[in-house]
Amino acid sequence: MGAPSKEPSKPLVKLANRLFDTERDRADFMQALLHPPVFAPTILWTQPKPPEFSWEVLPPLPWQPAFVDRLAHTVRPGQHPLHDKGYFYCLDFSSVFAVSALLSIPEAIESVIDLCAAPGGKSLFTWVALKPKRLLCNEVVRKRVRILISNLKRCGAMDAIVLNQDPAVLVEQTPNCAQLVLVDAPCSGQSLLAKGQAVPGCFHKVTLNRNANRQKRILANAAQLVQSSGYLLYSTCTYAPEENEQVCAWFLKKFPQFVPVPMSPLSLHQSPLTELPCYRLWPHTDLGAGAFMMLLKRQDRDEVQPVNEVFLTQHQLVLYAETR
């Protein structure tokens, strides 16, 4: 006898009905969460690709950066010696989608703060793509700092500055100091279901409201770290509109000095739930478990504040010492 079929729960059916207009999309979405597909392994090259590299690489998407490869399903990149040598970082392709918005920024970016940096994939993407002179990688949860530092060190980002601070402390100590702030916000993690992981309570209203309120608090602090003419990238790995489009609408009302940035290369991924230029990757596209993203630019004029070097010196975590 085969394994018993899984039936969608009422909360999942309700969410699918909110997200999609067609029965086919609803069914495909629920199928991806109930019977997770096997996604192609994805690697972010943090060092030049060796000429002898011979893995089977899948055709790139039009917006996919050259330093990212999707590999054949049979490849196990994490087991290759190049992984331990720091040549690449393994990540879900959804993460590549979420941070690919940075490729649309026309200006040179010299200063970046990744407010929710662990485990480090988006920090490393930014480090490779934009080559900023200063990269601050902040992680509030202390137990997650170790893996963040380990990944930065392994992949060679030794010039990154790692912090373990509440965003409100950063605003107090060094406001308006970054040309780019990344907020890959803590969320209900509904996309983990598409990876075969259990996420109890991820559809519950209490969970959604708690996460949305936390996301708003982080974004409110992030807004105060962005310089004039700077950028703010907001992303999550969940599907609920309460944590995505509705948070973005709240932010734009609360901080009218920011305007959303349309990204024509991602037009096919425009969220159907809003007219704002928000972008989604769905789990039933067979690309990744799912992601939401919106890029914003600050348009008002304000004095750029110097970075509080004393604060950074006193609070940065030494890469070598933290990973011994």
Side-chain angles (χ1 to χ4, degrees):
M1 294 180 62
S5 61
K6 295 183 180 179
E7 293 295 331
S9 64
K10 289 183 179 180
L12 176 55
V13 173
K14 185 176 180 180
L15 176 63
N17 288 338
R18 294 176 63 198
L19 295 178
F20 303 103
D21 291 331
T22 69
E23 189 59 38
R24 175 63 182 272
D25 283 333
R26 295 168 189 160
D28 289 347
F29 172 74
M30 290 188 289
Q31 176 73 7
L33 270 59
L34 295 172
H35 303 279
V38 178
F39 301 111
T42 302
I43 58 175
L44 161 67
W45 288 99
T46 54
Q47 296 185 33
K49 185 187 305 185
E52 67 273 15
F53 177 74
S54 60
W55 286 334
E56 181 182 353
V57 177
L58 301 181
L61 276 69
W63 50 266
Q64 182 178 327
F67 52 85
V68 169
D69 281 328
R70 288 193 306 134
L71 307 175
H73 289 76
T74 56
V75 178
R76 298 293 180 265
Q79 301 175 6
H80 196 279
L82 289 179
H83 177 269
D84 291 340
K85 293 179 181 179
Y87 273 78
F88 58 80
Y89 179 87
C90 301
L91 72 173
D92 188 290
F93 194 68
S94 299
S95 296
V96 176
F97 171 83
V99 78
S100 67
L102 303 185
L103 303 176
S104 299
I105 298 177
E107 301 94 337
I109 299 295
E110 297 188 354
S111 56
V112 178
I113 299 178
D114 188 350
L115 272 186
C116 313
K122 293 180 176 64
S123 291
L124 287 168
F125 185 105
T126 304
W127 180 66
V128 173
L130 303 182
K131 298 176 174 58
K133 292 182 179 179
R134 186 191 298 273
L135 174 60
L136 303 182
C137 304
N138 184 70
E139 176 54 48
V140 175
V141 182
R142 181 71 187 192
K143 65 181 180 180
R144 290 168 56 86
V145 170
R146 186 178 183 87
I147 185 62
L148 168 63
I149 292 178
S150 177
N151 285 326
L152 293 173
K153 177 187 175 184
R154 178 178 61 81
C155 294
M158 297 299 293
D159 51 348
I161 296 175
V162 177
L163 300 170
N164 174 223
Q165 300 290 326
D166 188 279
V169 174
L170 297 180
V171 171
E172 179 183 350
Q173 295 294 330
T174 185
N176 300 339
C177 66
Q179 290 175 278
L180 170 65
V181 176
L182 280 64
V183 177
D184 185 36
C187 64
S188 58
Q190 294 168 350
S191 69
L192 294 176
L193 295 172
K195 298 181 180 181
Q197 300 182 34
V199 193
C202 66
F203 301 120
H204 199 283
K205 287 185 178 180
V206 173
T207 301
L208 302 183
N209 291 336
R210 181 176 65 246
N211 280 286
N213 289 333
R214 178 168 55 175
Q215 291 152 1
K216 291 174 182 178
R217 186 181 75 84
I218 296 172
L219 277 175
N221 285 303
Q224 300 175 72
L225 294 170
V226 180
Q227 294 178 0
S228 297
S229 301
Y231 293 86
L232 172 59
L233 177 64
Y234 177 68
S235 62
T236 77
C237 62
T238 198
Y239 312 123
E242 290 88 346
E243 301 178 75
N244 294 319
E245 289 86 357
Q246 292 178 24
V247 168
C248 289
W250 170 89
F251 180 83
L252 290 170
K253 184 177 180 180
K254 184 77 173 180
F255 298 94
Q257 66 268 38
F258 285 85
V259 296
V261 179
M263 284 164 281
S264 56
L266 297 178
S267 58
L268 294 178
H269 299 279
Q270 161 72 34
S271 169
L273 307 178
T274 178
E275 294 182 358
L276 295 172
C278 302
Y279 302 90
R280 282 181 176 264
L281 190 69
W282 300 109
H284 51 287
T285 60
D286 292 330
L287 294 174
F292 171 91
M293 169 266 291
M294 185 176 191
L295 181 67
L296 304 112
K297 183 173 184 179
R298 183 177 172 185
Q299 288 199 322
D300 65 328
R301 293 294 176 184
D302 198 2
E303 182 178 354
V304 175
Q305 300 295 322
V307 174
N308 187 336
E309 301 289 354
V310 174
F311 172 79
L312 295 184
T313 300
Q314 291 176 342
H315 293 87
Q316 66 177 313
L317 303 176
V318 181
L319 293 185
Y320 175 72
E322 286 291 320
T323 53
R324 281 186 300 184

